[in-house]
């Protein structure tokens, strides 16, 4: 157990307090625990009289005991020995392995493994949680499997993508109460990889997936507008990393990750990028936009503002949010000339996108004419409501 281990589980109030690290170490050397007569392995000594039982009977006994009891039974062992002992028990269940179950989508094995892992490691310090993650990587060959999917064409190994997605979410990410714990484990998964691979891996774990077979839907963001449900997992993960508790991530890291994500597997429709930013919240959205402003990408920023307005119109958000966000970004420009060029680009972008939509309706290029007309309808309304909010803001400041 980790230094300063805390008993944070709701059922722990009935147990005695655990001694501190210095006190425990003196007991690890005691004859009572580490030199049981006739036993060479410290892991076997923790079984006490149960060591004489056949493994099958011992497993039946364990069914009637809390998981938490196993944590306390291995209390005095070093972390590595505890992990080896626990693995010895769990490895006989194939569904606890990354590739052990033939139907991982409908199997509860990895979910149970995740709950067990959360109970076991709750309160451990970061150093020992690092050891746990490294141990799990060794057992599951997770780094090698991740390398296989991020270095090949998206969707070329769909079953492996699915297994990585389920293992990471069910075992490592889903069961934590505190955001800092979730951020720690997600950081362990992503940080060893270059930024471009981090974006691919983030999409594999949190991107949209089929409700029928669970496979990642790679074309979802590139073929047409998507809904909030498809983006919520990605947005929540990005917010988790942007949070101040994720100590290993800077704001620039997260913004770069969002930039990389928007071209996985190819460049997203700008409407989908805008919808993701809205779901990520004000701070991330502003930081992302401000980054474009200070890096001289005013035209890209103008297009983004137009699609933020379009998403607000479609998804029934308040349009004044987009106007206030644009007003805030305007303050980032270093000169009035840069700001005015940006505002002119916003107006030009509105005009060009509406004309393109109108041309699409007139020419009948799309099979679904109703869809083209509806898109034009939303664009015209978005422009009208956007400028209405600007008029309200301007007039209220002058009266």
């Amino acid at each position: 157990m980790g230094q300063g281990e805390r008993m944070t589980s709701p059922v722990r109030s009935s147990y005695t307090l655990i001694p501190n690290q210095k006190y425990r170490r003196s007991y690890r050397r005691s004859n009572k625990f580490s030199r049981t007569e006739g036993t060479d392995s410290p892991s076997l000594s923790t079984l006490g009289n149960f060591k004489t039982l056949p493994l099958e009977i011992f497993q039946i006994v364990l069914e009637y005991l809390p998981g938490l009891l196993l944590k306390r039974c291995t209390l005095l062992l070093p972390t590595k020995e505890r992990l080896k002992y626990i693995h010895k028990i769990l490895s006989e269940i194939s569904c606890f392995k990354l590739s052990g179950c033939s139907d991982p989508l409908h199997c509860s094995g990895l979910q149970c493994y995740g709950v067990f892992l959360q109970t076991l490691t709750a309160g451990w310090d970061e150093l020992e949680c690092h050891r746990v993650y490294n141990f799990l990587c060794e057992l599951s060959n997770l780094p090698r499997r991740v390398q296989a999917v991020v270095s090949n064409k998206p969707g070329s190994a769909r079953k492996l993508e699915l297994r990585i997605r389920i293992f990471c979410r069910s075992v490592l990410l889903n069961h934590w109460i505190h955001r800092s714990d979730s951020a720690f484990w997600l950081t362990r998964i992503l940080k060893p990889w270059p930024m471009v691979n981090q974006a691919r891996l983030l999409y594999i774990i949190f991107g949209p997936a089929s409700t029928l077979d669970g496979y990642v839907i790679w074309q979802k963001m590139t073929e047409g507008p998507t809904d909030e449900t498809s983006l919520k997992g990605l947005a929540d993960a990005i917010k988790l990393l942007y949070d101040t508790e994720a100590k290993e991530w800077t704001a620039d890291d997260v913004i770069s990750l969002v930039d990389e994500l928007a071209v996985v597997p190819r460049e997203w429709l700008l409407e989908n990028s805008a919808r993701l930013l809205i779901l990520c919240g004000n701070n991330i959205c502003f930081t992302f936009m401000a980054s474009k402003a200070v890096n001289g990408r005013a035209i890209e920023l103008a297009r983004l503002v137009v699609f933020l307005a379009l998403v607000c119109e479609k998804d029934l958000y308040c349009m004044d949010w987009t106007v206030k966000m644009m007003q805030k970004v305007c303050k980032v420009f270093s000169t009035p000339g840069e700001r005015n060029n940006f505002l002119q680009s916003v107006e030009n972008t509105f005009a060009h996108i509406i004309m393109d939509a109108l041309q699409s309706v007139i020419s009948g290029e799309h099979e679904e004419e109703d869809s083209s007309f509806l898109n034009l309808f939303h664009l015209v309304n978005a422009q009208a409501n956007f400028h209405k909010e600007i008029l309200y803001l301007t007039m209220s400041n002058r009266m």
Side-chain angles (χ1 to χ4, degrees), residues 292-293 295-303 333 338 341-342 345:
K292 290 189 179 298
N295 285 294
R297 298 162 71 178
I299 295 178
E300 290 180 35
L301 181 58
R303 285 177 54 80
F333 290 101
E338 289 178 336
N341 286 337
F342 161 67
S345 295

Side-chain angles (χ1 to χ4, degrees), residues 28-278:
R28 284 180 179 169
R29 300 187 182 95
S30 69
N31 291 334
K32 180 178 179 181
F33 290 99
S34 63
R35 295 189 183 181
T36 303
E37 184 176 353
T39 303
D40 294 326
S41 169
S43 61
L44 290 177
S45 68
T46 60
L47 293 177
N49 294 330
F50 287 108
K51 69 181 180 180
T52 60
L53 292 176
L55 183 59
E56 293 80 4
I57 302 299
F58 182 58
Q59 289 176 345
I60 294 174
V61 172
L62 288 178
E63 290 180 0
Y64 295 92
L65 302 175
L68 201 57
L69 178 61
L70 180 59
K71 180 174 182 174
R72 296 182 64 85
C73 287
T74 60
L75 172 65
L76 301 176
L77 294 176
T79 300
K80 193 171 183 179
E81 293 302 319
R82 298 176 83 182
L83 294 173
K84 285 182 179 179
Y85 172 65
I86 291 164
H87 171 64
K88 180 179 179 182
I89 296 175
L90 299 182
S91 62
E92 307 217 359
I93 304 173
S94 62
C95 292
F96 283 179
K97 301 175 183 178
L98 189 148
S99 298
C101 182
S102 59
D103 187 16
L105 187 62
H106 302 99
C107 180
S108 61
L110 292 179
Q111 289 282 349
C112 293
Y113 195 3
V115 172
F116 174 82
L117 185 68
Q118 189 274 337
T119 304
L120 176 71
T121 61
W124 289 20
D125 62 29
E126 286 194 2
L127 178 60
E128 289 187 320
C129 288
H130 272 279
R131 291 173 181 153
V132 172
Y133 181 73
N134 292 337
F135 185 78
L136 290 173
C137 285
E138 289 179 19
L139 295 180
S140 62
N141 284 322
L142 183 62
R144 181 175 60 82
R145 297 171 190 271
V146 168
Q147 177 67 43
V149 296
V150 298
S151 60
N152 289 313
K153 183 179 178 181
S156 61
R158 295 192 303 166
K159 291 183 178 179
L160 184 55
E161 291 172 354
L162 173 61
R163 290 185 182 278
I164 290 173
R165 179 188 179 98
I166 293 176
F167 184 85
C168 289
R169 292 175 66 146
S170 298
V171 176
L172 300 174
L173 299 173
N174 282 357
H175 308 288
W176 299 103
I177 299 172
H178 302 293
R179 289 176 58 82
S180 57
D181 291 322
S182 300
F184 171 84
W185 291 98
L186 182 56
T187 299
R188 300 284 71 72
I189 294 170
L190 296 179
K191 270 297 184 179
W193 304 99
M195 188 67 70
V196 62
N197 290 343
Q198 288 178 13
R200 282 275 295 270
L201 188 52
L202 197 70
Y203 196 99
I204 288 172
I205 299 172
F206 295 106
S210 169
T211 56
L212 298 177
D213 53 26
Y215 292 146
V216 177
I217 306 176
W218 289 102
Q219 70 276 17
K220 187 79 170 180
M221 305 303 174
T222 61
E223 292 187 346
T226 189
D227 55 12
E228 291 184 0
T229 304
S230 299
L231 290 163
K232 187 178 184 305
L234 291 169
D236 288 344
I238 292 166
K239 287 188 287 187
L240 188 68
L241 299 178
Y242 190 83
D243 191 20
T244 54
E245 292 183 347
K247 294 173 287 189
E248 297 173 62
W249 297 84
T250 66
D252 286 342
D253 289 337
V254 178
I255 296 308
S256 296
L257 183 60
V258 174
D259 240 347
E260 287 289 350
L261 185 63
V263 293
V264 173
R266 299 182 304 281
E267 187 174 1
W268 290 12
L269 295 182
L270 200 48
E271 180 179 331
N272 293 334
S273 294
R275 188 169 279 109
L276 175 67
L277 287 172
I278 290 175

